[in-house]
Amino acid sequence: MFERKDVNNLEKRIICHIDFDYFFAQCEEIRNPSIKDLPVLVCVFSGRTKESGIVSTSNYVARKYGIKSGMPIRTAKSKLKDIESVVFLPVDYEYYETISKKAFSLILSIAKVINYEIIGLDECFLDLTSICRGFQEATALAKNIKNHLLNELYLSCSVGISYNKLLAKIASEYKKPNGFFIINPNETIQIISNLDISVIPGIGQKNKRRLNELGIKTVRELSEKNITFLKKTFGNRFGEYLHLSSIGINEDPINKKIENKQITRIKTLKQYSDNIEYVQSALSELCKSIYSELRHQDLLFRNVGLIFIDNKLKVTNRSKNLKKYTQNLNDLTDPVNSLFLEYISTYDILKLRRIGVKVCMLKKYEGQRNLTNYM
DNA sequence: GTTGTGATCCC
DNA sequence: CCATGTATCACAAC
């Protein structure tokens, strides 16, 4: 009884964050080790022109030259124009997925955790509270995991251990790549205070800039701001989150049962287009792709949305709720078509660059059969 | 509460 | 004509 109380104390948890290093590019290195010492750039080619698209992930050799995620391929090429051999590869999501699955099943075979959370293809949290007696045991376990990943899958990762998710993630980030770092409770403030605010998840380009404009650059400076000020400036929820994060407090639970809330498919058109039939056929492809994902996950949906991105990269959304949950393809394509026609009717000239289809308000199909009697 | 839209993040 | 694809959340308006 007393022990259980301890385990439930959120301050006393043992949380481990594992992050596979430069994952997509590392997968390519695993497939073809001969490219290891060259800059490797895994790219999303949009198909508009031969070179249009962005860099998804690059290895650390490429990063030395200033290559970053999200950078246009053209920009990356100009940064690397003096380098003799550079490897540009298109994303091969399915291949990365197979490596990812192997890696996580290996991790879970070593750490018999009840509570874990997999995020995307390259990240997970493990709650080691109930299987380790302290950070020391957790360290041994984590190093064991690191070794197995490296020896069996040739995969390097960075690991952070601390007593909550926020700090575990900051810790894994801290010594990347192939890193390992622990943040003990009594060291938290000292370690995080001098870090840039961008180490806090949720502070990206926009929020970093806003905070900088308020004179806040480091975590310490953030912690010195009044919480009511932060709430007023950034909204209640995010403001409170910022304040608590700045002093290392985070009580987010680890839970593996986070279900998809939406499924989106976005596509860049080959050329700007106001040709209705052309766009409609593209939309129809996206619908089919979403439909197969819905079937794959056995999900019903109740909301259908469209995303339009025009030649000026302005984003517009249109969506509508359906009368009830459904899994029919027609219940997807019909609203998509009507939303599209509604949207274009408000424009004289339309230059679409990218289009997207989204379904949300998702629900597992299971059990639904029993409920139909009552509907 | 429900519904629709835009902002932001991360890669 | 450099700028992907996907997910989550806040918030306004009803």
Side-chain angles (χ1 to χ4, degrees):
Chain A
M1 262 311 192
F2 295 112
E3 276 182 24
R4 183 171 298 271
K5 197 173 182 183
D6 252 348
V7 168
N8 283 336
N9 184 337
L10 293 167
E11 294 291 319
K12 296 254 165 75
R13 292 180 295 168
I14 304 173
I15 308 298
C16 174
H17 181 248
I18 303 176
D19 197 323
F20 306 149
D21 298 323
Y22 61 101
F23 186 57
F24 290 4
Q26 197 187 168
C27 288
E28 297 294 348
E29 291 180 356
I30 291 167
R31 171 150 62 184
N32 176 9
S34 72
I35 62 176
K36 246 181 141 171
D37 298 322
L38 306 173
V40 176
L41 287 73
V42 175
C43 303
V44 182
F45 292 98
S46 67
R48 304 184 71 239
T49 69
K50 240 187 214 161
E51 299 202 327
S52 68
I54 56 105
V55 178
S56 176
T57 316
S58 62
N59 66 0
Y60 279 77
V61 183
R63 291 183 199 192
K64 271 197 323 209
Y65 299 102
I67 308 302
K68 297 229 164 69
S69 287
M71 174 181 278
I73 293 167
R74 292 273 296 267
T75 312
K77 285 212 162 155
S78 85
K79 281 188 183 287
L80 293 164
K81 63 178 184 303
D82 295 330
I83 314 303
E84 238 175 75
S85 322
V86 181
V87 182
F88 290 91
L89 295 167
V91 285
D92 182 352
Y93 198 79
E94 284 179 14
Y95 171 64
Y96 311 145
E97 207 169 20
T98 61
I99 294 193
S100 172
K101 280 185 180 153
K102 281 186 200 168
F104 287 126
S105 82
L106 182 56
I107 289 170
L108 294 173
S109 74
I110 298 165
K112 305 256 190 299
V113 286
I114 309 157
N115 252 346
Y116 64 92
E117 189 175 318
I118 292 171
I119 299 164
L121 293 187
D122 65 345
E123 223 186 301
C124 69
F125 286 99
L126 307 177
D127 188 340
L128 304 180
T129 313
S130 56
I131 61 167
C132 294
R133 262 170 295 181
F135 281 7
Q136 214 167 359
E137 271 187 34
T139 300
L141 181 60
K143 296 223 158 147
N144 194 17
I145 289 173
K146 264 174 84 83
N147 284 335
H148 274 87
L149 286 172
L150 208 52
N151 294 336
E152 284 156 45
L153 299 175
Y154 311 104
L155 185 68
S156 89
C157 65
S158 295
V159 176
I161 291 176
S162 194
Y163 53 93
N164 66 40
K165 284 170 90 173
L166 170 79
L167 294 169
K169 190 168 166 72
I170 290 176
S172 72
E173 204 69 22
Y174 198 64
K175 298 243 169 166
K176 263 184 181 181
N178 195 18
F180 181 85
F181 195 64
I182 301 173
I183 298 180
N184 285 297
N186 60 338
E187 304 166 330
T188 300
I189 299 302
Q190 186 201 337
I191 291 170
I192 68 172
S193 285
N194 293 320
L195 300 179
D196 189 274
I197 43 169
S198 58
V199 300
I200 296 172
I203 303 185
Q205 207 179 295
K206 294 285 168 84
N207 287 325
K208 181 184 158 108
R209 177 179 234 172
R210 279 184 73 191
L211 285 157
N212 284 168
E213 280 164 2
L214 295 164
I216 303 165
K217 287 202 168 64
T218 65
V219 174
R220 176 182 292 106
E221 286 161 352
L222 182 59
S223 72
E224 285 162 352
K225 289 288 170 192
N226 192 308
I227 181 167
T228 38
F229 167 75
L230 291 173
K231 281 185 177 178
K232 214 178 291 167
T233 317
F234 292 94
N236 271 332
R237 206 169 146 155
F238 191 57
E240 182 183 37
Y241 167 79
L242 285 176
H243 169 71
L244 292 175
S245 298
S246 75
I247 48 178
I249 296 176
N250 182 284
E251 299 194 341
D252 290 349
I254 286 183
N255 95 60
K256 62 179 151 187
K257 289 190 289 289
I258 291 179
E259 272 161 23
N260 255 6
K261 296 187 175 160
Q262 63 181 62
I263 296 171
T264 314
R265 289 289 180 275
I266 295 178
K267 183 93 186 121
T268 298
L269 300 172
K270 291 261 185 279
Q271 64 276 324
Y272 295 134
S273 182
D274 57 357
N275 180 316
I276 292 180
E277 275 129 52
Y278 171 65
V279 178
Q280 273 177 329
S281 77
L283 285 173
S284 150
E285 288 305 307
L286 296 174
C287 288
K288 280 183 202 156
S289 167
I290 287 183
Y291 181 69
S292 82
E293 185 63 29
L294 284 166
R295 280 301 166 105
H296 181 67
Q297 293 191 41
D298 211 11
L299 292 170
L300 302 167
F301 61 97
R302 236 198 94 181
N303 180 289
V304 176
L306 279 184
I307 301 152
F308 304 100
I309 296 153
D310 70 13
N311 55 335
K312 288 180 179 140
L313 295 180
K314 187 178 134 53
V315 182
T316 310
N317 296 287
R318 292 288 181 273
S319 70
K320 79 164 131 201
N321 274 10
L322 309 178
K323 292 273 181 294
K324 51 184 171 187
Y325 285 94
T326 170
Q327 58 171 352
N328 300 327
L329 181 57
N330 277 347
D331 292 328
L332 177 56
T333 51
D334 292 348
V336 162
N337 266 320
S338 61
L339 282 170
F340 175 60
L341 294 174
E342 247 170 70
Y343 175 72
I344 58 172
S345 70
T346 62
Y347 284 81
D348 296 335
I349 313 163
L350 183 65
K351 291 286 183 204
L352 283 178
R353 182 189 178 100
R354 305 165 65 199
I355 49 166
V357 178
K358 175 184 83 169
V359 289
C360 52
M361 294 185 74
L362 305 175
K363 188 168 84 170
K364 271 276 178 208
Y365 181 65
E366 293 149 9
Q368 193 59 18
R369 234 168 273 130
N370 302 327
L371 287 175
T372 46
N373 295 334
Y374 304 96
M375 288 176 75

